[in-house]
Amino acid sequence: MSTNRSDEGFVPLPSGEALNVDEANQTARSSVTRVVVPAGVAGVGKTTLLSEIYEKYLEGPFAEHRFAYSKTLLGFEQRAHHARVASRRLTPTTLRTPISDTRAFLHLRLAPCSGKLPPRDLLIADWPGEAFREMRDNVQTTWSHPILARADHIAFLVDGESLGHLESRQEASHEADMLIQSVLDGGIKRAAMSVVYTKWDAALAGNGSDQLDEFRSVFEDMLRRKHSGRLGELRFIRTAARPKPGTPFNRGHNLDEVLRCWLGPPRGRLLVNPTPHGVAVREFDNFRFFGQGRQQ
Amino acid sequence: MTQQGLLIGLPGSGKTTFVAALWHVIASQDVEGALALQILEAPVDHLNTLRSRWLRLEETHRTSSNAEDITPIHVTQGEEGATATIVIPDLAGESIQQDLIDRKWETTFAEYVCGSTGVLLFVHPERVDDSWAITDAIEIAGEEPQVEQSAGEESDSTEWHPAGVPTQVKLVDLIQLVADRIKRQRFRVAVVVSAWDLIDDQESPSAWLAKELPLLSQFLLSASRRLESRVYGVSAQGGELLKDGDRLKAVIKASERIQVVHDNSSVSHDITAPIRWALNVDEEEN
């Protein structure tokens, strides 16, 4: 974990910010860690989703788990700031994740409330949307992200607000489909996968809301038809992480279901080479990333 | 063996008043079952100064940098009780908070943490900064939601700064850092909710912590392999100095101003109980 410069007579402390790849690697090696990649283009709501899961733990146990530790408390706090009264904003928002940000992994250790199982570590990638736009447009880009091969869960985020509007729903569904296609064609076989609709409150308020269920059903059927052989069981979850006041959703709507998915097991064993021809490795190696991927 | 107590908390969390009342009880030896002074071997001028202010019902601010001096106190419990030496430095909450921002500890403090045998973590119920969501505020105010703007469009908005982190996050950050460094395989944390007389509800200190500082409460419950925790409600003054001054002055034995509550126990005046438990001075205590 990174530390600040050590002055004489002082001992540096961990920064508390999001982790870079090396620090994430170290964390993944030191414990049984679930690595999660929320995937989606800019503005889809990746960081808001992560912030609101964190906010839930500020209020108490969530999704049958208690907060147990975090190496990135300040990283979460930075991301949550602009949705709080303390920011002096009138409307909540989330700052875009900068493309240049090399500190892109958030860490949570969660303990089952039952006490019967040990705590589990979650490493969640908070990558900028541009990274996924590149992946969507160029399958070879997926190979430069070794973490995708290590990931236990990839959640494809689909902008519900766009799905709810006649002008934008076709493009939003096409973008999600192409990103899934690219990740699968990139040889990613280990991770369990889900489709998470974000901003579902805004979807219901759009000018296409009366056709929303039908459009969603067609979209889901298309994904199953195209990818079912490679995707395995694909779950679809409708969320409203930070719904607008006056809508029929509470804050963090269905984020518990998202988190349960992330804490679940991956589909398969790790592949050494994140190409369609990768080979399986020892179980021990499931707990680390690989080599020199691009530090996003 | 010296039992090294680590008393930590944010500014104004009640550490100094606790130390003043604690020293009074240890020195006066008039609370049954409490730790009692065995012998003086080191200067205790700052402890005496604090005690005098506490007895005069004055605010017990930290006195000087000397307050961070580490004074060993030789204590015993009961007539035939085991003896122990405890050290309980009154560390400045301002320094502790600034260190969380600067992300560094003085080497001497880091070494002290490393060798500590137990921790007392102080929280003042009226100094808890919350993390109120804007959407919740709008909901409560009953106002119409406004058109969403992107970050930066609201000129009065503030940038994030670590000083503005909610109290419970600061405390979890602090106790995580302590737990990462403390040498003992397993240690005890006594959470002291100070000014307990301000809590109107008849709830237990643990229930109060779970309600008001849920992240800290979850952390303490989840970290049971690394640490054991208890929550105490402590009113070291016995009331509010302005409002309850006359009542407090009328108490004959000053120690009886003190109120200590632990889950499933009645109110006592033994302010040494959190120390005894956290430092494992009395292994017999339940």
Side-chain angles (χ1 to χ4, degrees):
Chain A
M1 193 154 189
S2 81
T3 51
N4 292 337
R5 184 175 56 87
S6 174
D7 299 320
E8 197 173 341
F10 287 90
V11 175
L13 299 174
S15 73
E17 296 175 6
L19 308 178
N20 62 30
V21 165
D22 288 341
E23 293 160 347
N25 252 325
Q26 196 179 338
T27 300
R29 273 197 296 264
S30 63
S31 60
V32 180
T33 303
R34 291 275 187 254
V35 177
V36 177
V37 179
V41 294
V44 75
K46 298 183 293 295
T47 307
T48 300
L49 189 88
L50 304 185
S51 290
E52 290 299 326
I53 287 174
Y54 168 71
E55 292 279 4
K56 282 290 177 188
Y57 284 101
L58 297 190
E59 296 168 4
F62 182 62
E64 300 87 39
H65 284 75
R66 287 193 190 101
F67 170 86
Y69 192 94
S70 174
K71 294 181 179 182
T72 59
L73 280 176
L74 299 188
F76 278 114
E77 283 292 317
Q78 282 174 302
R79 285 160 175 79
H81 175 69
H82 289 278
R84 292 184 181 159
V85 171
S87 72
R88 297 190 188 171
R89 294 183 58 83
L90 298 174
T91 51
T93 192
T94 304
L95 296 188
R96 289 273 165 84
T97 306
I99 302 172
S100 58
D101 198 351
T102 57
R103 298 195 156 276
F105 292 92
L106 294 163
H107 171 255
L108 270 181
R109 184 175 301 154
L110 301 174
C113 293
S114 67
K116 291 176 183 169
L117 294 168
R120 185 175 291 282
D121 287 73
L122 270 180
L123 267 179
I124 312 170
D126 184 22
W127 287 350
E130 288 76 5
F132 296 105
R133 184 178 48 76
E134 286 177 9
M135 279 183 223
R136 182 199 65 195
D137 295 341
N138 182 353
V139 65
Q140 294 177 3
T141 316
T142 60
W143 304 345
S144 64
H145 292 286
I147 188 181
L148 289 172
R150 165 63 180 87
D152 297 278
H153 194 104
I154 300 175
F156 295 98
L157 271 58
V158 181
D159 188 341
E161 184 169 21
S162 298
L163 281 193
H165 285 80
L166 300 174
E167 306 80 15
S168 50
R169 62 186 186 181
Q170 299 292 350
E171 186 183 358
S173 60
H174 169 72
E175 279 181 347
D177 172 41
M178 288 311 297
L179 181 56
I180 294 171
Q181 177 88 39
S182 194
V183 167
L184 291 172
D185 290 349
I188 307 305
K189 296 177 180 175
R190 167 184 159 78
M193 298 186 186
S194 61
V195 171
V196 175
Y197 299 108
T198 59
K199 310 175 202 170
W200 200 249
D201 57 313
L204 295 177
N207 59 8
S209 61
D210 56 339
Q211 291 182 327
L212 187 58
D213 279 342
E214 186 184 354
F215 188 84
R216 181 176 58 80
S217 177
V218 169
F219 172 61
E220 292 176 6
D221 286 346
M222 180 269 292
L223 289 183
R224 288 193 184 99
R225 190 178 65 251
K226 278 182 67 179
H227 308 301
S228 62
R230 295 189 294 174
L231 274 174
E233 185 191 0
L234 185 62
R235 296 191 62 185
F236 296 87
I237 306 171
R238 283 165 267 174
T239 67
R242 196 180 289 157
K244 289 188 170 60
T247 58
F249 299 109
N250 292 322
R251 264 180 69 212
H253 175 73
N254 269 349
L255 297 191
D256 52 345
E257 200 176 334
V258 170
L259 194 55
R260 283 186 206 105
C261 268
W262 293 1
L263 288 164
R267 282 192 299 151
R269 300 182 67 189
L270 188 62
L271 300 176
V272 166
N273 186 346
T275 69
H277 307 294
V279 294
V281 296
R282 296 173 304 155
E283 187 66 21
F284 173 80
D285 290 324
N286 288 350
F287 305 136
R288 62 187 179 94
F289 303 156
F290 291 102
Q292 307 301 318
R294 181 179 139 192
Q295 294 199 357
Q296 282 280 17
Chain B
M1 179 190 167
T2 300
Q3 302 291 328
Q4 193 165 299
L6 177 64
L7 278 65
I8 48 176
L10 300 173
S13 56
K15 294 185 300 300
T16 303
T17 309
F18 179 91
V19 169
L22 179 76
W23 178 235
H24 172 78
V25 168
I26 288 174
S28 66
Q29 304 182 29
D30 63 358
V31 176
E32 193 177 348
L35 294 176
L37 181 64
Q38 187 191 28
I39 187 170
L40 281 174
E41 278 188 357
V44 288
D45 50 326
H46 70 276
L47 289 174
N48 283 339
T49 303
L50 290 177
R51 181 189 181 190
S52 296
R53 287 186 179 171
W54 181 81
L55 288 167
R56 293 196 301 265
L57 292 173
E58 294 174 3
E59 295 281 353
T60 47
H61 302 297
R62 290 178 64 253
T63 49
S64 68
S65 58
N66 287 337
E68 287 190 33
D69 288 349
I70 295 171
T71 305
I73 304 170
H74 303 285
V75 292
T76 184
Q77 189 186 9
E79 289 181 4
E80 297 175 3
T83 60
T85 302
I86 61 171
V87 286
I88 43 168
D90 179 21
L91 303 162
E94 290 79 4
S95 304
I96 291 170
Q97 179 162 261
Q98 190 60 44
D99 288 346
L100 289 177
I101 295 169
D102 297 340
R103 308 310 288 180
K104 61 186 181 183
W105 278 345
E106 280 190 41
T107 307
T108 48
F109 179 67
E111 287 168 354
Y112 187 85
V113 170
C114 187
S116 293
T117 46
V119 178
L120 269 70
L121 179 65
F122 288 79
V123 183
H124 193 291
E126 291 196 333
R127 301 214 165 102
V128 174
D129 293 332
D130 214 341
S131 55
W132 212 15
I134 295 170
T135 47
D136 290 348
I138 293 171
E139 194 88 43
I140 289 168
E143 294 175 8
E144 288 295 313
Q146 308 199 12
V147 177
E148 183 147 357
Q149 298 167 295
S150 63
E153 285 183 19
E154 297 193 32
S155 56
D156 291 338
S157 67
T158 61
E159 290 305 307
W160 180 80
H161 189 277
V165 165
T167 303
Q168 63 169 343
V169 179
K170 285 179 186 164
L171 292 174
V172 170
D173 190 13
L174 178 60
I175 199 73
Q176 283 188 168
L177 292 168
V178 167
D180 285 346
R181 187 163 288 268
I182 215 161
K183 205 161 53 183
R184 282 202 159 195
Q185 198 169 16
R186 198 157 182 267
F187 64 99
R188 289 178 169 179
V189 177
V191 177
V192 175
V193 183
S194 58
W196 185 250
D197 51 283
L198 297 176
I199 310 289
D200 291 333
D201 300 336
Q202 295 297 311
E203 59 193 344
S204 70
S206 292
W208 181 88
L209 194 78
K211 190 177 76 179
E212 300 296 334
L213 301 166
L215 193 76
L216 177 61
S217 173
Q218 291 173 78
F219 173 81
L220 294 171
L221 287 169
S222 302
S224 57
R225 292 183 182 186
R226 181 77 176 103
L227 58 87
E228 188 180 357
S229 66
R230 276 189 184 181
V231 189
Y232 291 86
V234 175
S235 175
Q237 284 287 16
E240 295 179 68
L241 295 181
L242 284 176
K243 195 175 87 179
D244 304 319
D246 290 342
R247 175 179 64 80
L248 296 173
K249 282 176 199 161
V251 176
I252 292 179
K253 286 168 72 175
S255 301
E256 294 184 355
R257 282 162 40 193
I258 299 165
Q259 296 171 45
V260 179
V261 183
H262 167 57
D263 297 352
N264 306 320
S265 73
S266 55
V267 178
S268 87
H269 307 303
D270 181 8
I271 199 168
T272 71
I275 287 271
R276 280 194 286 119
W277 181 78
L279 301 188
N280 217 3
V281 175
D282 174 17
E283 291 187 3
E284 301 300 316
E285 199 206 1
N286 292 318

